[in-house]
Each structure stands twice: as structure tokens, then as C-alpha cells.
Amino acid sequence: MKGWIYKISHQRADDNKNGFPGMCYVGQHRGKSINERFTQHKREARNFEHNIDRAKESKFAKLHEAMRIARPENFIIEELEEIQDEDINQLILKLNAAELKYQKKFNSINEGWNIVDAPKSSRARVSTEKSIVQIANENGVTYSSLIHRINNIGETIEEAVNHLKNYAIKPKIKYEYKRQVFQSISSISNSKLHNKYNLDKKTIERRIKELKNSNSLKLRFDKKKNENIYILIDEIFNPKRSYKEYSVKTPEGDILSGLIIDLHKELIKRFPKLVPEKYTTIQSRLKKENWNTQQAFGFEYPPDLMEIKPLIEKKGYKWAISKPDFKKQNSKPVVLKVRKEIFVSQDEFSNTYGLAKDLVSDHLNAGKTPEAILDFYDLNP
């Protein structure tokens, strides 16, 4: 059996420079390769949401938050040491000792992305396959699942047992409608009696999710069966909305009404520089709560630029390099107050001053003003 000690550090994909020199994460892995573990880190980073409770639960939160902010593709993994031992207990002890050694060497606890020291002797200890079988039986988990998580995922026995126990006691999700209990959303969508308008599974799934998020569905817990049962309502099975007509005021002052597809055909002929090329773009915009009809057709500043409008029209600000294209504007502007200039995007601001895009993004996300960023790099506005 073998395992690895690895180091994760920042390295920009475009120029191979480290934007966070001196910072790294040191970890250990038992599985096929450290690249397998790196893929898991990147996936978890993309799914990371900053949440205090979640951060406490996850020992990788500090690393994953950094990877999420600076983007996973701008990080690399390096093998520091490969360790082998026939005894899994001895292998774990060696890995723990080596991980702690490298954490101290690179100061990855105080100055890096590690949150806690590597364990010294708290890992669950086993010396034979027979003992793993015994542990599985004692904890009421399957041997095959336990050995898979230890050997292929690289978890300690304690971590694997806890995961399998939590999974086993996690309540099953079921759905109740008209006093009938369904095992899945698929079974509901296949019921001709209950799904009389023949809605597809995705539509029903989306409507249930929206109601869950707004706490509009009652939840009943069946303790005996260990089941969470959502009580569905008639609204979920309503027929799809009929085609909706919209009204829009053109730059020339006239008002047109009709279906999106018909309005698009007419307006793109008259205003090709403003109206998006595809009517589906207008459809998707109107599905969002913060877009109105004027904005969707490109006749008004899009939502992300509405706060910019009074600066341009009333306070003497100017577009720094280029004007926004309302047909495809989907980026947030950068306002440089000291020069009364507005950059249509972070990329435009970065390119103008020769700064790395990801570092500019990091600074802005941290709450720094454009002026403060330029001052940080000793640049004149």
C-alpha cells in the first residue's frame, strides 16, 4: 500500500506566476494518484459557498474558498513524498508524520491554507484485513463500502465509518400528493392520473425546487420509516403557461405589443445595433426578476449598469475606453471616481493598467476600490 504527501499552490494559467507567494496547502492522499485528489479539490472548490457553519464543518474550507475566488485552473499540485508500507496502520502513521513535517516546513498553518495540524496519533488503527471486517460489523456498515473509501478515496477508517453511518441514517426523500406517496419525481411525472397535463419531469422538478426554496411546501417526517415526505400542492401540476404578450417602447417613441418572437422580428430590422440577434436571449432575460422589457430588447441600460446611468447622464462621467454593448452586456463595470471614468468590465480595467485579471477580481471581491488597487501596485490613475 502507498500514499503521497502533496502541496497545492497558486500559479496563474496565463503567465505561470504565483499571485500568493509563500502560501500553500499540504495534504496527504491514499488512492490511485495525487491528480485524482486534485480533481476532487477542484470540484469541491467550484461547489464551495461561503457559509460560516459549512466552513466549520469542512477542514478544506480555507483552501477551497481561496481556489473558488482565484479560480481552480490557477492552482497546481506537486508531489512532495511517496510513502509505502504493507501495514495500513503503519502507512497512516507515516503519512501523518510526513504531512506534519511538511506543514511545518512550508508554514502552511500560520501562513497558508491549512486550517489544522496533521493528526499525530488520533487516526483509527488497524493492522489486518480481518480487523477492518470487524470494524465494519461493529459499526453496522458494509465491508466493501468501507474498504472502498479507505483504499480508493483515501479516507481514514474513522472518516469512512462516520460517512457510511451518516449516509445510512439520512432520511429518504419521498413525495405525497392526493394522499398517495411517490418514491421519486419520475414516478409522479409518469402518473397519468396525477400529472394530467403531461408535464415533463424537469418542469415538475423545477417547480418543486422553487417551492422548497421559498418554504412553501409542508414537510412530514416518518420516524418509523426514516423518511422525509414533502406534501405537494396543486400548483405544481398546473399546465404550462400560455404564450404571454409583451409591450415595448422603441427609441423612436412608438409602442409595440405582441409575442416575443414577433416583436423580435420587427425590432431587429429597425434597430439591429441594439436588439440581440436571437429572440431566445430576450426570453432568458425576461425570465429574470431584475430585467424589464426595455432592457431585454436593448433599449435601456441592463440591470448591472443601471447605477451607472446617472453618472453618465447627470454627473459628467465618461466611458474610459469603449461603450457597453447592450446586445450582450453581461459584465459588471468598474468606476474610477478620481478620473470620472467608467470601464465596461473588470477585464477592460485590468488590460488598461496591465494588471492580472484574476488579481484585480480578488481585490474587488475583497471590497477594495479601483483607486486602492492602483495605489497598491504604485500605479497612477
Side-chain angles (χ1 to χ4, degrees):
M1 300 178 115
K2 63 181 178 180
W4 296 268
I5 304 298
Y6 61 87
K7 181 177 76 168
I8 293 176
S9 53
H10 183 262
Q11 180 176 295
R12 290 198 296 264
D14 55 356
D15 59 10
N16 295 328
K17 291 184 179 179
N18 188 339
F20 304 94
M23 298 187 70
C24 70
Y25 173 88
V26 173
Q28 62 169 278
H29 178 60
R30 286 176 288 116
K32 295 180 181 178
S33 69
I34 60 171
N35 286 329
E36 173 190 56
R37 186 67 188 101
F38 193 38
T39 298
Q40 293 173 351
H41 276 304
K42 290 189 286 187
R43 180 173 61 249
E44 289 160 2
R46 292 188 181 96
N47 294 331
F48 178 83
E49 295 179 9
H50 184 69
N51 177 289
I52 294 176
D53 293 332
R54 181 175 293 181
K56 288 180 179 177
E57 293 172 2
S58 172
K59 62 182 178 181
F60 301 119
K62 191 175 179 182
L63 169 68
H64 294 158
E65 183 172 19
M67 293 178 71
R68 176 66 184 268
I69 292 172
R71 295 196 298 273
E73 61 267 25
N74 291 317
F75 286 78
I76 59 170
I77 189 169
E78 303 170 72
E79 179 184 318
L80 298 177
E81 187 175 339
E82 180 181 307
I83 300 173
Q84 297 191 49
D85 201 293
E86 293 301 318
D87 188 310
I88 187 173
N89 178 51
Q90 293 302 316
L91 176 61
I92 291 173
L93 291 176
K94 290 178 181 179
L95 286 169
N96 290 344
E99 183 181 12
L100 187 59
K101 177 184 73 174
Y102 284 107
Q103 285 178 349
K104 290 181 178 179
K105 177 181 178 180
F106 294 106
N107 199 19
S108 62
I109 297 289
N110 297 325
E111 301 295 334
W113 293 306
N114 282 98
I115 292 180
V116 295
D117 293 334
K120 296 177 182 178
S121 60
S122 60
R123 300 279 188 177
R125 298 184 179 185
V126 293
S127 58
T128 64
E129 291 295 314
K130 182 179 178 181
S131 61
I132 299 180
V133 173
Q134 291 173 340
I135 289 174
N137 291 335
E138 289 170 2
N139 289 277
V141 300
T142 61
Y143 167 77
S144 59
S145 298
L146 181 59
I147 201 69
H148 166 74
R149 300 196 71 82
I150 293 170
N151 291 339
N152 297 333
I153 299 179
E155 292 181 338
T156 66
I157 293 173
E158 184 180 2
E159 290 170 339
V161 167
N162 287 338
H163 173 87
L164 294 172
K165 275 187 170 182
N166 290 333
Y167 181 80
I169 63 173
K170 187 176 181 180
K172 293 181 179 178
I173 302 296
K174 292 188 177 181
Y175 305 91
E176 181 179 313
Y177 184 59
K178 302 298 184 184
R179 294 192 173 182
Q180 306 304 305
V181 176
F182 296 86
Q183 304 294 323
S184 65
I185 294 177
S186 294
S187 59
I188 303 173
S189 63
N190 291 332
S191 171
K192 294 182 178 179
L193 176 64
H194 300 91
N195 184 20
K196 55 187 176 182
Y197 294 108
N198 199 28
L199 301 175
D200 58 86
K201 177 191 169 186
K202 286 187 177 180
T203 299
I204 297 175
E205 199 168 38
R206 175 179 55 77
R207 291 179 177 181
I208 291 175
K209 184 177 180 180
E210 290 173 352
L211 290 169
K212 279 184 183 179
N213 292 339
S214 61
N215 295 318
S216 300
L217 287 184
K218 290 183 179 179
L219 180 64
R220 175 167 60 84
F221 177 64
D222 189 324
K223 187 175 181 180
K224 185 179 291 186
K225 295 182 179 179
N226 192 32
E227 294 175 347
N228 273 331
I229 303 173
Y230 284 97
I231 313 301
L232 305 185
I233 57 179
D234 292 337
E235 177 185 334
I236 294 170
F237 302 96
N238 286 341
K240 289 186 177 180
R241 297 169 186 158
S242 58
Y243 291 110
K244 183 179 178 180
E245 290 197 353
Y246 292 85
S247 295
V248 58
K249 185 176 181 180
T250 75
E252 295 174 352
D254 55 321
I255 298 176
L256 299 181
S257 299
L259 302 178
I260 292 176
I261 190 169
D262 296 326
L263 290 173
H264 180 263
K265 287 179 181 178
E266 172 67 22
L267 293 172
I268 197 168
K269 293 177 183 176
R270 294 173 56 183
F271 309 99
K273 293 183 178 181
L274 297 176
V275 179
E277 295 178 2
K278 297 180 179 179
Y279 83 92
T280 52
T281 301
I282 299 169
Q283 274 185 326
S284 63
R285 288 177 173 180
L286 288 173
K287 287 180 181 178
K288 301 174 184 177
E289 292 183 0
N290 59 334
W291 283 79
N292 60 39
T293 312
Q294 301 299 119
Q295 294 168 327
F297 279 92
F299 298 153
E300 175 61 279
Y301 282 65
D304 283 340
L305 293 180
M306 283 303 292
E307 62 181 3
I308 302 302
K309 184 177 179 180
L311 298 181
I312 293 289
E313 296 181 353
K314 298 180 180 179
K315 296 189 177 182
Y317 280 68
K318 295 182 179 179
W319 298 107
I321 306 297
S322 61
K323 292 183 178 181
D325 182 354
F326 290 0
K327 292 173 65 173
K328 54 184 179 182
Q329 176 70 24
N330 59 2
S331 57
K332 291 187 178 180
V334 175
V335 180
L336 191 61
K337 294 181 180 179
V338 69
R339 292 178 61 97
K340 283 196 169 185
E341 288 183 333
I342 301 173
F343 297 83
V344 296
S345 68
Q346 292 181 17
D347 286 358
E348 189 177 81
F349 176 80
S350 303
N351 291 335
T352 300
Y353 287 97
L355 296 172
K357 298 174 184 177
D358 55 344
L359 292 182
V360 168
S361 179
D362 290 346
H363 286 302
L364 290 172
N365 289 336
K368 285 188 178 180
T369 64
E371 288 83 359
I373 296 173
L374 295 177
D375 184 60
F376 181 83
Y377 292 102
D378 293 322
L379 296 174
N380 295 319

